[in-house]
């Protein structure tokens, strides 16, 4: 086994680098094709998630493999190699197996113990199989990783150590309020209809949101997800809208979860500012106070009637030169004074929020961010942003724990959860009063202080046990072609000697010839049994790879015969007759 993994993750690289290095579906395909075209690699697959990009390959040269795989990752991610290199990690042979098994169990996840990674490992294996880049080693490795991950979840309480990224994100949005209590009765917008978005929608339905609207570029997928939600039995109302309707929907919802495969921003700061400004100006009817006689929206999906929003919200910042109303000179003066004074902004830690609970000294928006927000133009918002950034810098200079003061989640007008990589939502929205943003970066910061469950140690024990078993099985499988070639040579010798006996003793009848043949075969089998069993045992131990070479030398086996057996075995990765196959 010459397994090599080169990659980067949330543990080795900042989110800004992970975001730039993310791989599109086409980039994954090209990366795998180019990896196999490279000389050191014979098979490969790629595991790319929001939190990691890892290239797994079977290589025949370690140093050449590291250089080639690193270069290919840089080439297809679009990040220069010299910039990417400081964040890359390399694992080889048993360490590579240990790493993947740990990943499969959720030990290396941002939220320890989350089970979504198993689906992502399954997808990585399926991609390698579909492209025919996954051979015997990759198939065995990833299938065993899936089994190890399932074993960890079934035999330990690792699920208590963490939850899905969606649930963890909702906890950060809810601050100190129970998620079910915080989410009850809320209207939510889910942008995207892929696996993560579907998980988010299902989680929202489970925790008790009243309505879910799904927006996706492919209308059929959004409609299908909405139908599944309605039929889920949770009582949630659901409907699908086109992506063009997202801007209007922002003025109506309390919560947005976005996870798309887009390479650019899906929601800009201007979009969010426009929605919050419009809602604050009276364009948003509170839940339960819709106009009488209003047409029910998506009645077939069970959505409650709402006040129809105007076709176009009022012009806001970023929609044209000085599109919004200017702030009063006194307010601008206070903004400048606050920025120059370096006033401190209370940092929520897990998210960036300006709301009613922040410290107001030096901040011109006052405790009611929504009323102060109306009419803010882009230039004025930047002044406020300067003040906020200085406050954040001051908070970062404080001890980590003291900087993690919590805001009141009830003061948030719009909660945003961005689970995409690269990000879907402009990070600048954290400067908008009444808006709370949780994204991959803030989740990473929050998870650093999350307590580790006692069951993590039990999972580590399982991983260590499974790594040893997998390594032994692979080493034993490595000698199997040599043993098969040895037995084939012995059978050929028996056949030759029986033929020679026929020529020298032609008077033997069929029964006698059969008895002689069987006797010779038994002798050969008994002579070979103990050595072949013992050599498999020795080969399964660390450092046992040399026994196959010794066997070939001792019996003068033809290397081409051994190679042909290996090729035939690799062509059938599901061959259950192979005693060295990992179970």
């Amino acid at each position: 086994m010459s397994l090599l993994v080169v990659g980067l993750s949330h543990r080795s690289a900042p989110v800004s680098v992970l975001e730039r290095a993310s791989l599109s579906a086409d980039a994954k395909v090209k990366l795998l094709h180019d990896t196999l075209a490279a000389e050191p690699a014979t098979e490969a697959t790629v595991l790319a998630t929001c939190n990691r990009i890892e290239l797994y390959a079977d290589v025949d040269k370690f140093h050449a493999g590291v250089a080639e795989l690193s270069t290919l990752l840089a080439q297809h991610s679009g990040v220069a190699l010299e910039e990417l290199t400081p964040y890359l990690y390399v694992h080889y042979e048993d360490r590579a197996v240990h790493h993947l098994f740990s990943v499969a169990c959720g030990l290396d996840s941002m939220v320890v113990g989350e089970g979504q990674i198993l689906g992502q490992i399954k997808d990585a294996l399926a991609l390698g199989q579909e492209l025919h880049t996954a051979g015997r080693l990759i198939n065995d490795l990833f299938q065993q990783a899936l089994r190890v991950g399932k074993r960890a979840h079934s035999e330990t309480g690792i699920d208590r150590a963490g939850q899905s990224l969606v649930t963890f994100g909702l906890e950060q949005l809810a601050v100190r309020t129970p998620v079910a209590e915080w989410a009850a009765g809320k209207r939510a917008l889910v942008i995207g209809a892929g696996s993560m978005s579907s998980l988010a929608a299902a989680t929202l339905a489970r925790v008790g949101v009243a309505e879910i609207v799904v927006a996706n570029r492919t209308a059929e997928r959004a409609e299908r997800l909405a139908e599944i939600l309605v039929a889920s039995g949770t009582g949630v109302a659901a409907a699908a809208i086109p992506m063009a309707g997202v801007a209007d929907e922002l003025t109506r919802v309390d919560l947005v979860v976005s996870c798309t495969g887009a390479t650019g921003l899906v929601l800009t700061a201007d979009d969010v500012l426009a929605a919050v400004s419009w809602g604050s100006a009276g364009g948003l009817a509170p839940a339960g106070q819709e106009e009488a006689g209003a047409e029910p929206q998506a009645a077939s999906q069970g959505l409650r009637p709402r006040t129809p929003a105007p076709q176009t919200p009022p012009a806001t910042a970023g929609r044209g030169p000085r599109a919004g109303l200017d702030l009063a000179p006194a307010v601008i003066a206070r903004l400048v004074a606050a920025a120059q004074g370096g006033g401190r902004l209370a940092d929520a830690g897990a998210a960036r929020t300006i709301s009613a609970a922040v410290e107001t000294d030096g901040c011109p928006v006052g405790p009611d961010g929504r009323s102060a927000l109306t009419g803010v133009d882009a230039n004025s918002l930047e002044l406020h942003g300067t003040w906020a950034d200085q406050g954040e810098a001051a908070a970062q200079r404080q001890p980590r724990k003291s900087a993690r003061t919590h805001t009141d989640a009830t003061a948030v007008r719009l909660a945003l959860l961005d689970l995409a990589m690269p990000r879907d939502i402009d990070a600048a929205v954290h400067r908008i009063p009444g808006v709370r943003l949780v994204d991959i970066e803030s989740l990473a910061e929050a998870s650093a202080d999350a307590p580790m469950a006692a069951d993590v140690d039990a999972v580590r024990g399982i991983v260590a046990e499974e790594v040893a078993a997998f390594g032994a099985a692979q080493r034993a499988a490595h000698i199997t072609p040599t043993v098969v070639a040895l037995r084939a040579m012995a059978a050929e010798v028996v056949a030759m000697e029986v033929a020679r006996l026929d020529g020298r003793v032609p008077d033997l009848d069929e029964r006698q010839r059969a008895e002689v043949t069987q006797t010779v075969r038994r002798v050969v089998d008994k002579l070979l049994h103990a050595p072949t069993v013992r050599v498999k045992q020795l080969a399964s131990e660390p450092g046992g790879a040399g026994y196959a070479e010794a066997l070939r030398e001792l019996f003068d086996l033809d290397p081409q015969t051994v190679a042909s057996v290996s090729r035939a075995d690799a062509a059938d990765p599901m061959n259950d007759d192979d005693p060295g196959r990992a179970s």
Side-chain angles (χ1 to χ4, degrees):
M1 177 178 64
S2 300
L3 178 67
L4 175 66
V5 55
V6 177
L8 66 160
S9 73
H10 66 98
R11 294 186 182 276
S12 69
V15 172
S16 59
V17 175
L18 277 174
E19 186 176 38
R20 293 171 52 209
S22 61
L23 297 173
S24 65
D26 288 342
K28 292 178 190 177
V29 173
K30 294 176 181 177
L31 172 60
L32 289 180
H33 284 156
D34 288 352
T35 300
L36 256 64
E39 183 180 345
T42 58
E43 54 178 291
T45 195
V46 60
L47 176 60
T49 72
C50 291
N51 305 321
R52 72 183 65 251
I53 303 170
E54 297 176 343
L55 183 56
Y56 290 78
D58 184 8
V59 299
D60 55 10
K61 299 175 183 176
F62 172 74
H63 294 288
V66 172
E68 191 66 39
L69 267 58
S70 301
T71 301
L72 289 171
L73 274 177
Q75 176 184 338
H76 290 279
S77 68
V79 180
L81 181 59
E82 58 271 17
E83 183 179 356
L84 195 64
T85 298
Y87 306 111
L88 293 177
Y89 48 78
V90 175
H91 299 297
Y92 191 54
E93 294 187 335
D94 284 352
R95 287 184 59 193
V97 177
H98 188 281
H99 175 73
L100 181 60
F101 287 3
S102 298
V103 169
C105 293
L107 294 180
D108 198 58
S109 295
M110 185 179 294
V111 181
V112 174
E114 60 94 11
Q116 187 185 0
I117 187 64
L118 287 175
Q120 295 164 333
I121 291 175
K122 185 177 180 180
D123 291 342
L125 175 59
L127 178 62
Q129 291 172 334
E130 178 185 350
L131 300 177
H132 304 290
T133 62
R136 179 60 178 269
L137 177 59
I138 295 296
N139 272 283
D140 279 355
L141 174 68
F142 275 68
Q143 287 171 4
Q144 189 67 11
L146 292 171
R147 286 189 283 266
V148 173
K150 291 175 183 177
R151 179 187 170 192
H153 284 279
S154 64
E155 295 184 11
T156 74
I158 190 66
D159 290 331
R160 295 193 296 270
Q163 57 272 295
S164 74
L165 206 58
V166 176
T167 306
F168 189 58
L170 292 177
E171 288 182 352
Q172 303 312 305
L173 286 175
V175 193
R176 290 169 294 185
T177 306
V179 172
E181 178 183 333
W182 174 81
K186 278 185 166 55
R187 292 170 172 168
L189 169 64
V190 175
I191 304 177
S195 58
M196 178 68 85
S197 299
S198 299
L199 175 62
T203 303
L204 290 172
R206 189 181 69 250
V207 299
V209 300
E211 300 174 8
I212 298 176
V213 178
V214 182
N216 192 58
R217 297 189 188 282
T218 305
E220 293 77 7
R221 297 186 66 182
E223 291 167 359
R224 176 57 181 160
L225 179 54
E227 291 171 0
I228 292 173
L229 292 171
V230 171
S232 65
T234 58
V236 68
I241 64 169
M243 288 295 290
V246 166
D248 285 343
E249 199 63 36
L250 281 177
T251 66
R252 305 184 181 102
V253 298
D254 310 292
L255 167 64
V256 178
V257 180
S258 186
C259 185
T260 73
T263 55
L265 292 175
V266 175
L267 293 180
T268 66
D270 286 344
D271 295 331
V272 176
L273 178 61
V276 178
S277 300
W278 179 235
S280 302
L284 178 65
Q289 298 181 17
E290 293 84 354
E291 287 185 9
E295 287 295 327
Q297 181 173 350
S300 61
Q301 285 82 14
L303 290 178
R304 293 180 298 173
R306 304 173 185 158
T307 302
Q311 293 298 313
T312 54
T316 52
R319 306 298 171 118
R322 307 287 294 176
L325 299 175
D326 289 340
L327 289 177
V331 175
I332 295 179
R334 291 181 62 192
L335 278 168
V336 175
Q340 292 174 343
R344 169 114 183 243
L345 173 68
D347 185 5
R352 302 181 179 91
T353 311
I354 301 172
S355 64
V358 302
E359 300 174 20
T360 57
D361 285 346
C363 180
V365 299
D368 187 359
R370 282 181 291 179
S371 60
L373 179 64
T374 306
V376 178
D377 66 1
N379 294 331
S380 301
L381 185 62
E382 282 303 312
L383 288 174
H384 175 77
T386 301
W387 174 84
D389 285 344
Q390 290 182 352
E392 287 182 319
Q396 290 174 0
R397 290 193 294 268
Q398 303 299 320
R400 182 170 189 167
K401 291 292 183 181
S402 64
R404 289 187 178 276
T405 57
H406 289 287
T407 58
D408 181 5
T410 60
V412 175
R413 159 65 186 88
L414 183 63
L416 304 170
L417 178 56
D418 185 358
L419 300 176
M421 182 63 66
R423 72 189 73 194
D424 281 345
I425 303 175
D426 190 345
V429 303
H430 79 277
R431 298 174 177 176
I432 302 175
V435 174
R436 182 173 179 82
L437 170 66
V438 168
D439 56 17
I440 293 295
E441 186 172 11
S442 56
L443 283 176
E445 295 170 359
S447 65
D449 294 332
M452 300 290 286
D455 295 282
V456 168
D457 287 337
V459 174
R460 287 174 177 156
I462 290 176
V463 169
E465 174 189 331
E466 293 284 356
V467 169
F470 184 83
Q474 289 296 312
R475 287 187 289 270
H478 180 70
I479 204 170
T480 297
T482 301
V483 172
V484 171
L486 174 59
R487 290 191 173 276
M489 184 193 74
E492 185 179 348
V493 170
V494 169
M496 291 173 59
E497 291 302 321
V498 170
R500 180 182 300 178
L501 180 64
D502 286 341
R504 298 177 63 179
V505 188
D507 296 334
L508 290 177
D509 58 28
E510 290 297 328
R511 185 186 65 79
Q512 292 171 329
R513 183 181 295 105
E515 185 63 33
V516 170
T517 303
Q518 186 63 26
T519 299
V520 176
R521 286 175 177 168
R522 279 198 298 268
V523 171
V524 171
D525 286 343
K526 287 183 178 181
L527 286 173
L528 292 180
H529 176 72
T532 53
V533 170
R534 183 59 179 151
V535 79
K536 286 182 180 180
Q537 293 173 345
L538 293 171
S540 66
E541 298 174 359
Y547 287 100
E549 180 63 28
L551 204 61
R552 289 192 291 269
E553 288 293 332
L554 288 171
F555 288 91
D556 194 24
L557 298 176
D558 182 4
Q560 295 299 325
T561 302
V562 176
S564 64
V565 174
S566 300
R567 287 192 297 269
D569 186 58
D572 183 13
M574 300 306 292
N575 182 8
D576 292 327
D577 295 331
D578 178 7
R581 183 174 181 269
S583 59

